[in-house]
Amino acid sequence: MKNWLLLTVMLFAIAACTSQKKITNKALFHGIVGQKEKIVYSRVGLPSEINTANEGEKVLVYEVAERMMVGYSKSIKPAVTSQFDLDGQRDYDVDVWQIGDALSDAKSNTEYRTNKAFLKVYIDSTGTCTGFEQNLPKLQQEYYYDRLKKYIPEE
């Protein structure tokens, strides 16, 4: 039963991320593709860097740094245990020393990494946006979707 529940939750999370990326890409497509470079700036903002390519083509790069937790200690013992008293009420036993040990163990065994996500916007030699690619985290995808959703035509 637990495996089915875990599988269902995982599939829901994957589907939510996939659908967020789809609607963000749709908003980006309708909001910037085919538009002039200045309009792209007004809709998306100023890029972190501008790379020039062949014959006046440009790649506008919007970078986002994302801090991720990579590992943690699984050997932490529970510091709070629950028991039932004579009346059937839950009674908690707290070991303050164990809480301190758990906190210091978590701090020393947790590793953080910084991941760079991006939105790349391609501008041709006439100054028109021809496409984009992105691997933005969900929060940034929601931000761009909210900015550009008004350009999606109603179906």
Side-chain angles (χ1 to χ4, degrees), residues 42-59:
S42 70
R43 293 182 180 179
V44 182
L46 294 175
S48 332
E49 67 182 76
I50 300 173
N51 299 325
T52 54
N54 304 336
E55 303 169 13
E57 296 175 346
K58 296 179 185 177
V59 179

Side-chain angles (χ1 to χ4, degrees), residues 4 6 31 40-42 55 62 71 107 113 124 134 154:
W4 281 106
L6 180 63
V40 172
Y41 290 148
S42 70
E55 303 169 13
Y62 299 84
K107 285 179 186 175
R113 283 194 199 138
D124 68 8
Q134 59 103 350
E154 293 184 23

Side-chain angles (χ1 to χ4, degrees), residues 6-37:
L6 180 63
L7 181 63
T8 304
V9 169
M10 293 291 287
L11 288 174
F12 180 74
I14 290 170
C17 291
T18 303
S19 63
Q20 180 64 48
K21 188 167 186 168
K22 281 182 183 178
I23 64 172
T24 301
N25 284 345
K26 187 175 183 179
L28 283 164
F29 178 79
H30 290 291
I32 64 174
V33 174
Q35 302 299 323
K36 291 292 182 183
E37 187 175 353

Side-chain angles (χ1 to χ4, degrees), residues 83-91:
Q83 303 170 7
F84 292 96
D85 63 10
L86 296 175
D87 297 328
Q89 300 295 318
R90 198 175 285 268
D91 183 30

